[in-house]
Every structure is written in structure tokens, then in C-alpha cells.
Amino acid sequence: MNHFLDLADSSREQIVELLALADRLQTRPEPQALAGKILGLLFFNPSLRTLASMQAAMAKLGGTSFVVTAGQGTWQFETRRGAVMNGAPAEHVREGVPVLSHYCDAVGIRAFASGTDLDTDLSESAFRDMAGLVSKPVINLESAINHPCQALADWKTLDDLKVPRKAKFVLSWANHPRALPLAVPAATVHMAAMRGMDVVVLRPEGFALPGAIMRKAMEAAAANGGTVRETADRDDALNGAHIVYAKEWGSTTHYGNAEADANLRAKLADWCVRDTWFSTAAADCKLMHCLPVRRNVAVADEVLDGKRSVVQREAYNRMVVQAAVLHRLLSTPQH
Ligand code: CP
């Protein structure tokens, strides 16, 4: 493994091996495995879990890390190709990113979607441009349309909970005051399909996942014995569900149009996951969410504070699986 950019770059068997390494490091820690190694973390967007869990994972393996928050204590970065840099940004990523990579052994980058043009965001061009500037291993800490570290942690959470491979996995749209990126829903639907689950994407009209995201998930499902479908019928989706994975995302019919998106979501306040959503679900159905979550907008207190919620385990597993990713990318094989 040279980079960690997308679960789709690996086979199901390789992901299962990576999760086995995560389990091994959990039970038999290797506190010197990455002694002397340095991880550089470059954030263009805020984070709590990703930032803290990457640093913690690196420290647990004996390595160290530094964090650069773009524009905060650094020069402001320009990212556009061909930009005439006579405004506020003083440094282009074409210089800044390779410079940072000189100081470390691997680079993690978080750079969200622009949220203005769907095709551009689906192409991942901004993230791929930056990753292409680095000659060291690159870890995707959330790009326009992917969040592989979250997806890997969620796969481990499903395994920890002994959720059967063929269980019904419902990725449900949830309410939020404004449009959020497609990275987590895209990564989640693909992860559950690649795990071989029966995946239902539940969303109101106007929020269908783009064809490219659904096709990728359907291909993963076909290769691994799963299924993927999409519906706006909540009763149909939740009936018999083993997992409800709540996630907020922006309208795809009005992508980049904040006013039209807001008009649509103004009528969708009942898309807040409540206990009543689980009345026809499997008895032990769990609630997943990547966090952060808006309480009583996306998910009600009664669910987040109840026995169904596994959000803390998901967050904990971020550190566990990222340790495996770092180990795989940076450890020296023992002969
Ligand atoms: N789930 C997740 O990536 O959290 P942060 O945005 O806080 O890193």
C-alpha cells in the first residue's frame, strides 16, 4: 500500500487484512513500530476526530506528527491553477505542499468539496492535484467525495458489533441547517456495499446521490455479494433495518444553490432520527453517525443518549484503524 486515498483502491480481502492488523495492534501494541517517523497533517477545513485521532495513532506507534492548519499561523494558500496571485494568498499549494512533505515521512490532507460545481467535486481534481505533488505516502483525511478513514472505522465498528455481512444497512439523509458535502455518504454507501451488505439509501426528493456515487457502490456490491438501492419511502427503508446510519448532505438537484437548497430543506424538519424511526427495525438495530452531529436537528437526544447509539465506538475506532493504516504505510518489514 503506497497511499490511503479510497477503499476502492483495495480489494475486500485487503481491507479485511487491514482490519485484522488493526485488531492485532489493539491487542498487541507496537509502541516502537514507527519510532523516528514523522506524519505531516495539513488541514484546509476544521476537524476534531480526524486531527486528534491521527496524532494519537501516530504517537501510539512511537512516531510523531505536526499539524498545519491552512491560513491559521501559515500563509494563506492559493489552490487554483493559473491564478494571478495578487490577492490575500501568498503561497500556492504547488510550492507549499511539497515543502511540507520534505519534513515528514507521510502526509495527511483534508480538503473538502468546493460545493459549487458537482462535476468538479466528483472529479476530486483539487485533492488529486495536491496528492500528486507529494512523493511520500498520502492519506486522505476527507476530500470532496471521500472519507476513507471514517469508512474503515465504520467497517470495524460493524465487525466489532458482529453485524452480519448480509444485514440491512440504511444510510439515511438527516436534516441540517445548510448543505453539507457528499464525502461521508459516498464513502459510507461504498463501504457497506463492499462489506457485502444489503444497502438502502433513504433520502427525500431532491437529495438523490449522484449516479457516479451509486454506480461505484453498486459495482462494489456486485463484486462482494451485496445490494444497493435508493428510496424516498421511509417505512420501506426502515422495516427490518439492522443499522441506521444518519448523515446530512446537500441537495443534489440544487447543488451549489444555497437558496434553492434551503427552500427544499425548510420542509424536511421531520428528517430528525427519533426513537419512532425504529418501530419496525430489527430489535437490536443500531444508530451510526460519523460526528459531529446537530442534536435534535439531525438526531434526537433520545437516540444519541439511548442504547442504539454506537457513535462513540465509531469515533474510538478512528484511532484504531488509522494506526493500522500508518503501520502499513510506514513500518519497516521485519526479516
Ligand atoms: N468524523 C470526522 O471526520 O470528524 P471530524 O470532522 O471532527 O474530523
Side-chain angles (χ1 to χ4, degrees), residues 46-51 110 112 142 147 150 290-292 318:
S47 168
L48 186 148
R49 278 143 293 273
T50 305
L51 190 158
R110 167 167 281 198
F112 288 175
E142 190 173 337
H147 197 351
Q150 184 67 51
C290 65
L291 304 180
R318 291 292 305 274

Side-chain angles (χ1 to χ4, degrees), residues 51-315:
L51 190 158
S53 62
M54 288 302 302
Q55 290 195 287
M58 195 64 185
K60 276 179 172 286
L61 293 166
T64 189
S65 54
F66 64 80
V67 178
V68 172
T69 307
Q72 292 180 25
T74 69
W75 307 108
Q76 284 188 42
F77 282 109
E78 178 59 75
T79 56
R80 293 169 301 158
R81 289 182 193 180
V84 177
M85 290 178 56
N86 57 3
E91 177 134 34
H92 203 285
V93 291
R94 294 193 66 78
E95 283 75 50
V97 170
V99 164
L100 286 176
S101 75
H102 296 318
Y103 310 142
C104 55
D105 299 287
V107 183
I109 303 174
R110 167 167 281 198
F112 288 175
S114 69
T116 52
D117 182 75
L118 180 58
D119 288 337
T120 303
D121 287 341
L122 286 170
S123 76
E124 293 275 34
S125 55
F127 190 89
R128 291 191 182 281
D129 278 358
M130 269 192 285
L133 298 168
V134 181
S135 55
K136 310 271 174 71
V138 178
I139 302 170
N140 182 344
L141 305 180
E142 190 173 337
S143 59
I145 230 75
N146 217 326
H147 197 351
C149 293
Q150 184 67 51
L152 191 64
D154 290 338
W155 188 322
K156 176 163 169 53
T157 301
L158 293 166
D159 289 354
D160 288 353
L161 297 169
K162 302 196 182 334
V163 177
R165 183 169 171 175
K166 285 298 288 177
K168 185 174 183 181
F169 183 102
V170 179
L171 169 64
S172 177
W173 187 86
N175 192 24
H176 191 272
R178 60 182 172 79
L180 291 188
L182 291 162
V184 171
T188 302
V189 68
H190 177 265
M191 174 279 296
M194 191 175 180
R195 191 172 179 267
M197 305 185 79
D198 288 327
V199 184
V200 181
V201 180
L202 168 64
R203 80 306 180 264
E205 298 304 338
F207 293 85
L209 292 181
I213 291 173
M214 289 300 285
R215 280 192 296 279
K216 179 178 170 184
M218 285 175 180
E219 282 166 19
N224 296 294
T227 60
V228 180
R229 67 184 174 92
E230 202 169 6
T231 182
D233 183 339
R234 193 184 297 166
D235 292 340
D236 168 49
L238 296 176
N239 187 26
H242 294 92
I243 297 290
V244 175
Y245 193 115
K247 187 66 193 90
E248 315 81 348
W249 66 87
S251 167
T252 43
T253 35
H254 300 298
Y255 199 84
N257 182 340
E259 192 179 337
D261 178 287
N263 287 340
L264 260 189
R265 68 182 59 238
K267 303 172 200 111
L268 300 172
D270 69 324
W271 285 76
C272 174
V273 180
R274 301 190 176 283
D275 270 346
T276 50
W277 283 42
F278 296 89
S279 59
T280 60
D284 60 349
C285 181
K286 301 295 187 218
L287 178 281
M288 297 179 76
H289 190 289
C290 65
L291 304 180
V293 63
R294 301 249 182 169
R295 281 178 170 254
N296 305 309
V297 175
V299 184
D301 283 344
E302 67 209 29
V303 180
L304 284 167
D305 296 331
K307 63 180 176 17
R308 296 187 187 283
S309 174
V310 295
V311 299
Q312 290 298 332
R313 184 183 283 258
E314 291 175 83

Side-chain angles (χ1 to χ4, degrees), residues 1-10 15 18 107 127 137-141 147-153 321-322 325-326 329:
M1 193 164 81
N2 298 325
H3 302 289
F4 187 69
L5 302 177
D6 185 348
L7 292 199
D9 295 336
S10 302
I15 296 297
L18 193 56
V107 183
F127 190 89
V138 178
I139 302 170
N140 182 344
L141 305 180
H147 197 351
C149 293
Q150 184 67 51
L152 191 64
V321 300
Q322 287 156 197
V325 170
L326 291 165
L329 289 173

